[in-house]
Amino acid sequence: MNLLFANIGTSDLAIRFSQPKGPDYYLPIDFLSEPNLPQQVNTLSPEFQKIWKEQKAAIDNFFYTELGFANSVKRNSRCLTAKLLECYRLAPSNWHDRLAFVRILGVLQKAATTQPRVSKAYIFITNQKTRQNRNGHDKDTIYLVRLLQNWLRYDSQQLEPKFADLPKLVPVRIPPTENPSDLEVMLRVYEQEIATILKEEQPNPSSDIVLVSIKGGTPQMGTALQLQSIDSGFPNMIFVDPQLSINSVLQGQPSQCKLTLYWRHLKSQKYRTIRQLLERWDFDGAISILQDWQNNLKLLPAEVKTLVDLSEVETSSNLAITALKLGLCLFNFDRQGAETILKTSSPELASLSHLTQNYHSWLNLYAHCQIYWQLNQVANFLWCLSSFWEDVVNYLVIALGGYQYFLPENTPGMLENWNLDPSKIELDIWKVLIKHDTKLKTWDFKKNGNFSLNMKRFTKRYLAKAIVRHNQHDIQEWEKIEQALKQLNYWVEKRNDLIHRIKGASQETMHEMLAADRKLKIKEAQKASEVDLILETMQTLCLSVFRLLNQPPCPGVDPNSDGVYYIYSDIVDWVNQQLDE
């Protein structure tokens, strides 16, 4: 359901006065305070300029003469509205047309025309009557809102009610002990009240809006309602701005209102949230926020949509969502899905096509390790480290020409089954393999069929080493690769132990396990990379792979591209660029 949050002030009420010659007119019971008030007064006829400037004398006369207050009583709005409420209850027909709720009634009318219409109007009021202050505050609005409720009820009982479809009024009382002129206090009060209302009413972010009118009450109440409405977390907040017209006030007419969207603030707030998610590489979360944002924009009344160029926002957010979906595919190792997105997307995304053209799964796994270490997600880090270890060896075997030593498969250039073809393997390479794999040494290919290296990461490592020696590649770079693999192997072996420990997997438990195993003089622990140097060891390994293959290092591995995370930094930068436009 659509809701309205509104302040109300004593200047919302105007009283009708008559003059012997000339039309009746209305004057607010309190002075209006608006920036353009003097300019509007100057546009009045001399007669009405005089009437407006004598407002105080007219209200004083009404207070003391018609309402019968003693001259010893200081005129104030609390007493005036309390007496008016009493009089109205006794004789509503005598008073109804004499009262005009010029500003708040305009707000309520605007709320009633919103589709779907606003069902409830929560009106924030004051009643600062305490033991220490038994008379309350001069500008308390407790009686004003009751007077408005009685006035609307009487109108609804007429044969032709003028305001029958207005929202139901629900007064929200500022606690009497809280100072409405203290901004910090009001921020706390409005935060609590708005949260309570939203929890009770549970408006649907996908279909409902909340209108907010901050005029009325103290300036601090207006600021607090404005800020806490925006910060409430409800996405569809639209502000109702009553337009001051002295002519309308003098005629007792409700204020004309326009809807205002704090566009720049709302946009920057949404985009700030998206950027925070992208700092944590949360592509899915960023997509959700952007899609919700798009849905919120669709709910805006037509009047608000004309204030901003939504087509431009829609275009940039659609491009950003597509790029984020591309990132999500790659983060889930779905290269085919990423390629499909690029083929079917707008030409603007062509600048990201290199992400799939130059894609390597082992570098993707390295980027995952960087990300998970940054996010302190150690269980995910260890899983990716284990996969990285094996995938980089797989890549080396194929990149060094080892594809020829395996039986052909359905996908050219890819190995899934890793079935050896012994007839293609040179003697020196074969000797290395059977030296380190006793099962292969005794394997009868005619009797037992194919021999797969699919789950044999160490045999693959020896195969890569044998290819390097056979082809006389840079043996020094290979030794760096092999050393790094040995340093990382301890953590690959210990992955399950760490994850299933009672304490769980954390950087702290990694330190504890390594220290304990070194104390026990476990061989693998002596070679292991220090916990805080694992990523550095992985980077060294990656750089040596590129050098061995005579290839330039990619961003994310190159020491000169610090802070770059392989393909993901390009996507985040591209999305941020779309949001900035």
Side-chain angles (χ1 to χ4, degrees):
M1 67 174 64
N2 290 351
L3 303 173
L4 168 67
F5 299 155
N7 284 334
I8 189 171
T10 49
S11 56
D12 284 321
L13 175 63
I15 308 295
R16 189 185 69 192
F17 293 90
S18 301
Q19 50 185 343
K21 294 181 181 180
D24 293 350
Y25 58 88
Y26 289 80
L27 289 173
I29 65 171
D30 257 333
F31 288 104
L32 289 165
S33 177
E34 296 285 346
N36 63 342
L37 184 63
Q39 292 89 333
Q40 290 209 33
V41 172
N42 291 334
T43 65
L44 299 175
S45 66
E47 177 188 6
F48 277 105
Q49 284 193 38
K50 183 174 183 296
I51 288 173
W52 188 265
K53 290 175 182 178
E54 293 176 353
Q55 174 191 7
K56 181 180 184 303
I59 299 299
D60 282 346
N61 183 62
F62 174 78
F63 185 78
Y64 293 111
T65 303
E66 289 199 58
L67 296 184
F69 282 96
N71 290 333
S72 59
V73 178
K74 178 186 175 183
R75 195 255 289 181
N76 67 78
S77 300
R78 178 188 172 97
C79 292
L80 190 153
T81 51
K83 186 66 176 179
L84 269 180
L85 176 62
E86 180 185 331
C87 296
Y88 191 91
R89 283 172 172 168
L90 291 174
S93 59
N94 294 343
W95 285 96
H96 189 77
D97 290 337
R98 286 206 66 187
L99 306 181
F101 295 86
V102 286
R103 185 167 60 195
I104 188 64
L105 194 58
V107 172
L108 294 171
Q109 282 184 312
K110 192 67 175 179
T113 61
T114 305
Q115 295 300 324
R117 63 182 293 272
V118 171
S119 56
K120 288 184 182 179
Y122 285 87
I123 311 296
F124 293 88
I125 62 170
T126 57
N127 181 22
Q128 294 177 267
K129 187 175 181 180
T130 62
R131 290 182 180 179
Q132 294 76 24
N133 182 19
R134 296 187 178 276
N135 294 324
H137 191 276
D138 290 355
K139 292 184 180 292
D140 277 340
T141 51
I142 177 69
Y143 298 112
L144 176 62
V145 78
R146 291 176 184 174
L147 183 60
L148 174 59
Q149 287 174 309
N150 279 265
W151 192 86
L152 290 173
R153 189 180 304 116
Y154 182 79
D155 175 78
S156 68
Q157 295 167 355
Q158 306 310 301
L159 290 175
E160 296 183 3
K162 297 179 181 179
F163 307 103
D165 295 327
L166 297 188
K168 176 185 176 182
L169 302 189
V170 183
V172 180
R173 181 182 172 188
I174 303 295
T177 55
E178 306 288 15
N179 181 6
S181 296
D182 188 320
L183 180 57
E184 286 297 326
V185 171
M186 287 300 98
L187 286 169
R188 172 172 49 80
V189 170
Y190 275 87
E191 179 184 24
Q192 293 169 349
E193 295 294 346
I194 289 172
T196 299
I197 295 168
L198 292 176
K199 184 177 180 180
E200 289 179 357
E201 298 291 351
Q202 295 188 342
N204 187 343
S206 300
S207 58
D208 297 332
I209 62 174
V210 174
L211 300 181
V212 182
S213 174
I214 65 173
K215 292 292 181 70
T218 64
Q220 292 80 5
M221 290 170 66
T223 300
L225 177 55
Q226 179 187 56
L227 295 179
Q228 298 299 12
S229 295
I230 293 172
D231 291 343
S232 66
F234 190 76
N236 312 320
M237 289 281 182
I238 300 174
F239 288 80
V240 184
D241 189 9
Q243 304 297 293
L244 173 65
S245 168
I246 291 182
N247 275 315
S248 295
V249 173
L250 289 167
Q251 296 172 39
Q253 297 297 316
S255 297
Q256 294 295 311
C257 298
K258 70 174 184 178
L259 298 181
T260 301
L261 191 66
Y262 291 154
W263 176 249
R264 291 190 180 278
H265 178 85
L266 291 174
K267 183 180 175 183
S268 63
Q269 187 182 51
K270 288 288 182 185
Y271 289 178
R272 185 164 55 249
T273 301
I274 291 167
R275 288 190 175 92
Q276 287 173 341
L277 289 171
L278 293 181
E279 286 176 2
R280 296 181 60 80
W281 313 98
D282 187 353
F283 297 115
D284 197 33
I287 291 170
S288 179
I289 294 292
L290 269 175
Q291 289 177 334
D292 287 346
W293 174 235
Q294 288 184 329
N295 290 333
N296 296 340
L297 296 180
K298 292 176 183 177
L299 295 175
L300 295 178
E303 178 183 340
V304 177
K305 289 181 179 179
T306 60
L307 301 176
V308 293
D309 185 0
L310 294 184
S311 61
E312 190 175 311
V313 175
E314 185 177 6
T315 299
S316 62
S317 58
N318 280 336
L319 288 171
I321 287 172
T322 305
L324 290 169
K325 287 180 178 178
L326 172 67
L328 192 59
C329 280
L330 293 171
F331 204 79
N332 289 319
F333 303 96
D334 182 7
R335 182 182 183 180
Q336 186 175 354
E339 289 174 340
T340 301
I341 288 174
L342 288 169
K343 287 177 183 177
T344 58
S345 297
S346 304
E348 288 89 343
L349 267 82
S351 60
L352 295 177
S353 59
H354 67 282
L355 300 181
T356 56
Q357 293 168 357
N358 304 320
Y359 174 85
H360 295 294
S361 57
W362 63 282
L363 289 171
N364 196 359
L365 284 161
Y366 172 56
H368 275 66
C369 288
Q370 290 177 295
I371 289 169
Y372 287 135
W373 192 259
Q374 174 195 337
L375 301 179
N376 201 24
Q377 295 182 15
V378 173
N380 287 331
F381 169 81
L382 291 170
W383 171 82
C384 285
L385 174 59
S386 299
S387 299
F388 167 81
W389 196 105
E390 185 160 3
D391 207 41
V392 75
V393 173
N394 291 348
Y395 174 75
L396 278 168
V397 169
I398 295 173
L400 290 167
Y403 184 80
Q404 62 181 313
Y405 302 134
F406 295 87
L407 295 174
E409 300 200 18
N410 295 328
T411 307
M414 296 287 292
L415 290 174
E416 294 179 0
N417 298 318
W418 293 86
N419 290 322
L420 282 171
D421 184 352
S423 66
K424 300 288 182 66
I425 303 175
E426 289 87 354
L427 182 59
D428 57 326
I429 294 177
W430 181 256
K431 286 181 178 180
V432 171
L433 292 179
I434 61 175
K435 176 182 178 182
H436 295 286
D437 192 319
T438 54
K439 189 174 182 181
L440 175 61
K441 183 177 182 179
T442 59
W443 189 262
D444 187 335
F445 282 86
K446 290 183 178 179
K447 180 180 178 182
N448 299 324
N450 295 332
F451 188 89
S452 174
L453 297 190
N454 194 26
M455 302 297 290
K456 290 179 169 288
R457 60 191 180 94
F458 288 117
T459 305
K460 289 178 190 173
R461 191 189 79 190
Y462 287 118
L463 174 59
K465 181 178 181 179
I467 295 172
V468 169
R469 292 187 179 278
H470 177 80
N471 294 326
Q472 298 181 342
H473 287 292
D474 189 337
I475 193 64
Q476 290 183 336
E477 289 300 337
W478 169 257
E479 288 174 349
K480 292 177 184 177
I481 291 171
E482 193 165 39
Q483 181 184 6
L485 289 171
K486 290 177 180 178
Q487 290 175 318
L488 296 174
N489 188 62
Y490 170 81
W491 298 111
V492 175
E493 299 286 353
K494 289 293 183 178
R495 180 192 65 176
N496 289 335
D497 291 345
L498 275 164
I499 291 174
H500 296 297
R501 283 183 120 203
I502 295 175
K503 291 184 179 181
S506 67
Q507 294 180 21
E508 182 181 354
T509 55
M510 289 175 72
H511 280 285
E512 291 173 358
M513 177 175 280
L514 180 60
D517 284 352
R518 282 179 171 172
K519 191 173 182 180
L520 294 172
K521 301 189 182 306
I522 293 175
K523 185 179 179 181
E524 287 293 323
Q526 308 305 324
K527 303 176 187 175
S529 172
E530 299 294 338
V531 174
D532 299 327
L533 297 178
I534 293 176
L535 284 177
E536 187 177 318
T537 302
M538 294 176 74
Q539 183 185 35
T540 300
L541 170 57
C542 294
L543 286 170
S544 291
V545 168
F546 283 116
R547 293 189 189 111
L548 179 67
L549 300 174
N550 293 313
Q551 297 173 355
C554 73
V557 175
D558 190 337
N560 296 320
S561 60
D562 188 42
V564 176
Y565 289 68
Y566 189 37
I567 48 184
Y568 301 112
S569 291
D570 281 355
I571 293 172
V572 169
D573 290 344
W574 197 90
V575 169
N576 283 331
Q577 184 179 354
Q578 295 303 310
L579 300 183
D580 288 337
E581 290 181 352

mmCIF file of all heavy atoms in Angstrom, residues 545-567:
data_model
loop_
_atom_site.group_PDB
_atom_site.id
_atom_site.type_symbol
_atom_site.label_atom_id
_atom_site.label_comp_id
_atom_site.label_asym_id
_atom_site.label_seq_id
_atom_site.Cartn_x
_atom_site.Cartn_y
_atom_site.Cartn_z
ATOM 1 N N VAL A 545 55.730 -19.224 -15.548
ATOM 2 C CA VAL A 545 55.002 -19.891 -16.636
ATOM 3 C C VAL A 545 55.061 -19.031 -17.888
ATOM 4 O O VAL A 545 55.354 -19.526 -18.999
ATOM 5 C CB VAL A 545 53.538 -20.170 -16.231
ATOM 6 C CG1 VAL A 545 52.716 -20.595 -17.446
ATOM 7 C CG2 VAL A 545 53.476 -21.251 -15.155
ATOM 8 N N PHE A 546 54.790 -17.735 -17.742
ATOM 9 C CA PHE A 546 54.829 -16.839 -18.902
ATOM 10 C C PHE A 546 56.241 -16.774 -19.505
ATOM 11 O O PHE A 546 56.410 -16.775 -20.731
ATOM 12 C CB PHE A 546 54.356 -15.441 -18.509
ATOM 13 C CG PHE A 546 52.860 -15.334 -18.367
ATOM 14 C CD1 PHE A 546 52.284 -15.037 -17.147
ATOM 15 C CD2 PHE A 546 52.030 -15.524 -19.465
ATOM 16 C CE1 PHE A 546 50.909 -14.932 -17.011
ATOM 17 C CE2 PHE A 546 50.660 -15.425 -19.343
ATOM 18 C CZ PHE A 546 50.091 -15.137 -18.105
ATOM 19 N N ARG A 547 57.253 -16.716 -18.645
ATOM 20 C CA ARG A 547 58.632 -16.627 -19.147
ATOM 21 C C ARG A 547 59.030 -17.915 -19.862
ATOM 22 O O ARG A 547 59.702 -17.892 -20.899
ATOM 23 C CB ARG A 547 59.594 -16.337 -18.009
ATOM 24 C CG ARG A 547 59.414 -14.949 -17.384
ATOM 25 C CD ARG A 547 60.535 -14.638 -16.403
ATOM 26 N NE ARG A 547 60.255 -13.416 -15.647
ATOM 27 C CZ ARG A 547 59.979 -13.392 -14.345
ATOM 28 N NH1 ARG A 547 59.975 -14.528 -13.649
ATOM 29 N NH2 ARG A 547 59.743 -12.254 -13.732
ATOM 30 N N LEU A 548 58.636 -19.048 -19.280
ATOM 31 C CA LEU A 548 58.953 -20.334 -19.890
ATOM 32 C C LEU A 548 58.367 -20.444 -21.294
ATOM 33 O O LEU A 548 58.994 -20.989 -22.209
ATOM 34 C CB LEU A 548 58.425 -21.465 -19.009
ATOM 35 C CG LEU A 548 58.661 -22.899 -19.517
ATOM 36 C CD1 LEU A 548 60.153 -23.235 -19.511
ATOM 37 C CD2 LEU A 548 57.881 -23.903 -18.684
ATOM 38 N N LEU A 549 57.165 -19.891 -21.456
ATOM 39 C CA LEU A 549 56.470 -19.976 -22.746
ATOM 40 C C LEU A 549 56.743 -18.764 -23.636
ATOM 41 O O LEU A 549 56.121 -18.633 -24.686
ATOM 42 C CB LEU A 549 54.963 -20.113 -22.505
ATOM 43 C CG LEU A 549 54.531 -21.344 -21.695
ATOM 44 C CD1 LEU A 549 53.033 -21.294 -21.395
ATOM 45 C CD2 LEU A 549 54.879 -22.631 -22.439
ATOM 46 N N ASN A 550 57.655 -17.885 -23.174
ATOM 47 C CA ASN A 550 58.000 -16.669 -23.930
ATOM 48 C C ASN A 550 56.771 -15.818 -24.248
ATOM 49 O O ASN A 550 56.562 -15.359 -25.371
ATOM 50 C CB ASN A 550 58.718 -17.038 -25.242
ATOM 51 C CG ASN A 550 60.077 -17.652 -24.984
ATOM 52 O OD1 ASN A 550 60.858 -17.136 -24.180
ATOM 53 N ND2 ASN A 550 60.348 -18.764 -25.659
ATOM 54 N N GLN A 551 55.933 -15.625 -23.220
ATOM 55 C CA GLN A 551 54.723 -14.822 -23.365
ATOM 56 C C GLN A 551 54.767 -13.650 -22.387
ATOM 57 O O GLN A 551 55.321 -13.786 -21.284
ATOM 58 C CB GLN A 551 53.470 -15.663 -23.075
ATOM 59 C CG GLN A 551 53.261 -16.814 -24.031
ATOM 60 C CD GLN A 551 52.110 -17.706 -23.590
ATOM 61 O OE1 GLN A 551 51.520 -17.520 -22.534
ATOM 62 N NE2 GLN A 551 51.790 -18.695 -24.432
ATOM 63 N N PRO A 552 54.176 -12.503 -22.752
ATOM 64 C CA PRO A 552 54.113 -11.379 -21.797
ATOM 65 C C PRO A 552 53.120 -11.702 -20.684
ATOM 66 O O PRO A 552 52.072 -12.311 -20.940
ATOM 67 C CB PRO A 552 53.620 -10.204 -22.657
ATOM 68 C CG PRO A 552 52.864 -10.857 -23.774
ATOM 69 C CD PRO A 552 53.544 -12.161 -24.041
ATOM 70 N N PRO A 553 53.422 -11.319 -19.458
ATOM 71 C CA PRO A 553 52.481 -11.594 -18.364
ATOM 72 C C PRO A 553 51.201 -10.793 -18.518
ATOM 73 O O PRO A 553 51.217 -9.668 -19.012
ATOM 74 C CB PRO A 553 53.255 -11.171 -17.111
ATOM 75 C CG PRO A 553 54.259 -10.188 -17.599
ATOM 76 C CD PRO A 553 54.621 -10.605 -18.995
ATOM 77 N N CYS A 554 50.098 -11.379 -18.126
ATOM 78 C CA CYS A 554 48.812 -10.691 -18.249
ATOM 79 C C CYS A 554 48.606 -9.766 -17.050
ATOM 80 O O CYS A 554 49.252 -9.931 -16.004
ATOM 81 C CB CYS A 554 47.674 -11.710 -18.312
ATOM 82 S SG CYS A 554 47.335 -12.497 -16.722
ATOM 83 N N PRO A 555 47.726 -8.770 -17.161
ATOM 84 C CA PRO A 555 47.395 -7.926 -16.010
ATOM 85 C C PRO A 555 46.885 -8.790 -14.858
ATOM 86 O O PRO A 555 46.138 -9.739 -15.064
ATOM 87 C CB PRO A 555 46.286 -7.015 -16.549
ATOM 88 C CG PRO A 555 46.487 -6.997 -18.019
ATOM 89 C CD PRO A 555 47.015 -8.353 -18.377
ATOM 90 N N GLY A 556 47.292 -8.451 -13.683
ATOM 91 C CA GLY A 556 46.926 -9.257 -12.528
ATOM 92 C C GLY A 556 48.069 -10.145 -12.077
ATOM 93 O O GLY A 556 48.111 -10.594 -10.934
ATOM 94 N N VAL A 557 48.993 -10.424 -13.003
ATOM 95 C CA VAL A 557 50.200 -11.193 -12.680
ATOM 96 C C VAL A 557 51.426 -10.301 -12.757
ATOM 97 O O VAL A 557 52.339 -10.383 -11.931
ATOM 98 C CB VAL A 557 50.351 -12.391 -13.644
ATOM 99 C CG1 VAL A 557 51.675 -13.110 -13.392
ATOM 100 C CG2 VAL A 557 49.188 -13.366 -13.469
ATOM 101 N N ASP A 558 51.423 -9.414 -13.729
ATOM 102 C CA ASP A 558 52.529 -8.476 -13.919
ATOM 103 C C ASP A 558 52.729 -7.632 -12.651
ATOM 104 O O ASP A 558 51.785 -7.000 -12.162
ATOM 105 C CB ASP A 558 52.203 -7.558 -15.099
ATOM 106 C CG ASP A 558 53.397 -6.708 -15.510
ATOM 107 O OD1 ASP A 558 54.298 -6.502 -14.672
ATOM 108 O OD2 ASP A 558 53.429 -6.243 -16.663
ATOM 109 N N PRO A 559 53.933 -7.624 -12.079
ATOM 110 C CA PRO A 559 54.191 -6.831 -10.867
ATOM 111 C C PRO A 559 53.909 -5.343 -11.053
ATOM 112 O O PRO A 559 53.657 -4.623 -10.087
ATOM 113 C CB PRO A 559 55.680 -7.073 -10.594
ATOM 114 C CG PRO A 559 56.011 -8.330 -11.316
ATOM 115 C CD PRO A 559 55.124 -8.371 -12.516
ATOM 116 N N ASN A 560 53.926 -4.878 -12.313
ATOM 117 C CA ASN A 560 53.661 -3.461 -12.584
ATOM 118 C C ASN A 560 52.173 -3.129 -12.611
ATOM 119 O O ASN A 560 51.803 -1.975 -12.785
ATOM 120 C CB ASN A 560 54.298 -3.060 -13.920
ATOM 121 C CG ASN A 560 55.812 -3.181 -13.890
ATOM 122 O OD1 ASN A 560 56.444 -2.849 -12.891
ATOM 123 N ND2 ASN A 560 56.390 -3.675 -14.984
ATOM 124 N N SER A 561 51.328 -4.139 -12.473
ATOM 125 C CA SER A 561 49.874 -3.897 -12.468
ATOM 126 C C SER A 561 49.297 -4.257 -11.106
ATOM 127 O O SER A 561 48.375 -5.056 -10.996
ATOM 128 C CB SER A 561 49.191 -4.704 -13.574
ATOM 129 O OG SER A 561 49.422 -6.098 -13.381
ATOM 130 N N ASP A 562 49.866 -3.672 -10.079
ATOM 131 C CA ASP A 562 49.442 -3.955 -8.702
ATOM 132 C C ASP A 562 47.981 -3.558 -8.503
ATOM 133 O O ASP A 562 47.542 -2.491 -8.938
ATOM 134 C CB ASP A 562 50.324 -3.188 -7.722
ATOM 135 C CG ASP A 562 50.047 -3.594 -6.286
ATOM 136 O OD1 ASP A 562 49.885 -4.794 -6.025
ATOM 137 O OD2 ASP A 562 49.970 -2.688 -5.427
ATOM 138 N N GLY A 563 47.215 -4.414 -7.827
ATOM 139 C CA GLY A 563 45.814 -4.116 -7.560
ATOM 140 C C GLY A 563 44.873 -4.537 -8.661
ATOM 141 O O GLY A 563 43.665 -4.329 -8.568
ATOM 142 N N VAL A 564 45.403 -5.133 -9.741
ATOM 143 C CA VAL A 564 44.571 -5.600 -10.844
ATOM 144 C C VAL A 564 44.268 -7.078 -10.633
ATOM 145 O O VAL A 564 45.149 -7.869 -10.335
ATOM 146 C CB VAL A 564 45.281 -5.386 -12.202
ATOM 147 C CG1 VAL A 564 44.450 -5.976 -13.336
ATOM 148 C CG2 VAL A 564 45.518 -3.900 -12.431
ATOM 149 N N TYR A 565 43.005 -7.438 -10.807
ATOM 150 C CA TYR A 565 42.564 -8.809 -10.603
ATOM 151 C C TYR A 565 42.108 -9.402 -11.940
ATOM 152 O O TYR A 565 40.919 -9.434 -12.247
ATOM 153 C CB TYR A 565 41.446 -8.861 -9.574
ATOM 154 C CG TYR A 565 41.901 -8.566 -8.160
ATOM 155 C CD1 TYR A 565 42.331 -7.302 -7.792
ATOM 156 C CD2 TYR A 565 41.910 -9.567 -7.192
ATOM 157 C CE1 TYR A 565 42.770 -7.030 -6.506
ATOM 158 C CE2 TYR A 565 42.335 -9.307 -5.892
ATOM 159 C CZ TYR A 565 42.765 -8.038 -5.558
ATOM 160 O OH TYR A 565 43.188 -7.769 -4.278
ATOM 161 N N TYR A 566 43.081 -9.808 -12.751
ATOM 162 C CA TYR A 566 42.858 -10.491 -14.022
ATOM 163 C C TYR A 566 41.696 -9.843 -14.783
ATOM 164 O O TYR A 566 41.685 -8.639 -15.016
ATOM 165 C CB TYR A 566 42.625 -11.981 -13.768
ATOM 166 C CG TYR A 566 42.595 -12.858 -15.012
ATOM 167 C CD1 TYR A 566 43.432 -12.622 -16.093
ATOM 168 C CD2 TYR A 566 41.709 -13.924 -15.104
ATOM 169 C CE1 TYR A 566 43.396 -13.430 -17.229
ATOM 170 C CE2 TYR A 566 41.667 -14.741 -16.229
ATOM 171 C CZ TYR A 566 42.505 -14.485 -17.289
ATOM 172 O OH TYR A 566 42.459 -15.276 -18.410
ATOM 173 N N ILE A 567 40.669 -10.625 -15.167
ATOM 174 C CA ILE A 567 39.564 -10.125 -15.984
ATOM 175 C C ILE A 567 38.579 -9.275 -15.192
ATOM 176 O O ILE A 567 37.832 -8.481 -15.765
ATOM 177 C CB ILE A 567 38.806 -11.313 -16.626
ATOM 178 C CG1 ILE A 567 38.516 -12.379 -15.566
ATOM 179 C CG2 ILE A 567 39.612 -11.900 -17.758
ATOM 180 C CD1 ILE A 567 37.852 -13.629 -16.095
#
